[in-house]
Amino acid sequence: MKCRKCGGQAVLELPRHNAAFCSADFQEFFRKQVAEAIRKHKMFTREEPILVAVSGGKDSLALWDVLIETGYETAGLYLDLGIFDYSVESKAKCEGFAAARGQKLIVERVADAMGAPIPEVQKATRRPTCSACGLSKRYLMNRAAVEHGYPVIATGHNLDDEAAVLFGNVLHWQTDALSRQSPALASTHPKLARRVKPLYRLSERETAAYAFLRGIDYIVDECPFAKGATSIAHKQILDRLEEQSPGAKHNFLFGFLEKAKGYFDGAESVTLQQCAVCGQVTTGEICAFCKLHDQVKRRQAGPLSSTREGDRHE
Ligand code: AMP
Ligand code: FES
Ligand code: ZN
């Protein structure tokens, strides 16, 4: 197998691109894909500081690495969810990465903001852990960006993540979610940071290869609550399709973004205002994070107050 660029020994084959690359040319290809994502969706300029949300996994650390290498001004944001050893280890990976590269890492603890770590928060809600976790992550990411003066938050979502989310949204024709599915979400309120996904053009296999070739030390284990998640089932279905016809995921996601997304634009029109309790943006009077925080406090106050009828159906 020869590198498409230099003819040297290839280390990675990319059937989707009908190509193979040596290590140096693959890294170049990877950086070009990120640059193309940033350019095409006007994600950020050279003058803007970027807050990179890092989980300690391969995708977000690969993203941070590319942005540092390309010369962007960045800081990392790690959200400590308090999920047992998984959080301890993933935090250590982010701290190690930041220290080795002399970068700033901001750490926010869910337990500080919510009064309890994610496994405890989940018990107060009776909803899947990922739903309380996702809500907390979105809230704390935006709050940190606004408080520390970062206009834009970059996450490590890759092509596989985005294709799987699209698949789930299409299965249930969730038109409001389809209208929001984009590699770059604009700010619609002074207290809302832009959100961008510069890795959306790169597959999970490609980000894993990049992280490996760059010698990035990342956490391999998944979150213990991820087992059995529907998003994983959707990924497996798409993996099977990809195996049979390379490029299927790419065509599905890019076809949506280029040809279909326009149909859903405007499906969701919401006016944002500031939460009466915390001042963060929300569509209602009190934000979902503050409502959840309230549920957690009531549960902590005693078993009777946590089983009140209203709590179950909020
Ligand atoms: P996930 O939803 O776990 O697939 O993660 C998607 C992206 O969200 C990651 O690539 C990160 O950019 C970000 N992210 C996930 N977990 C955390 C965390 N604990 N702290 C900061 N960012 C995170
Ligand atoms: Fe949120 Fe696993 S990372 S529940
Ligand atoms: Zn609030």
Side-chain angles (χ1 to χ4, degrees), residues 80-140:
D80 184 344
L81 307 163
I83 302 179
F84 321 118
D85 288 351
Y86 169 72
S87 289
V88 177
E89 282 167 35
S90 54
K91 181 169 169 241
K93 298 292 182 196
C94 294
E95 286 172 340
F97 181 100
R101 290 158 183 81
Q103 298 286 316
K104 176 173 165 184
L105 178 72
I106 300 168
V107 177
E108 297 275 350
R109 291 174 70 236
V110 167
D112 290 339
M114 186 63 97
I118 287 296
E120 292 301 314
V121 174
Q122 192 274 334
K123 285 183 197 149
T125 68
R126 298 178 185 84
R127 284 193 223 134
T129 315
C130 291
S131 118
C133 174
L135 186 160
S136 305
K137 282 198 264 195
R138 282 192 299 279
Y139 177 90
L140 292 173

Side-chain angles (χ1 to χ4, degrees), residues 173 175 178-179 255-267:
W173 290 113
T175 51
L178 287 168
S179 77
F256 167 74
L257 293 174
E258 281 155 25
K259 298 180 189 159
K261 188 171 171 351
Y263 290 105
F264 302 99
D265 286 345

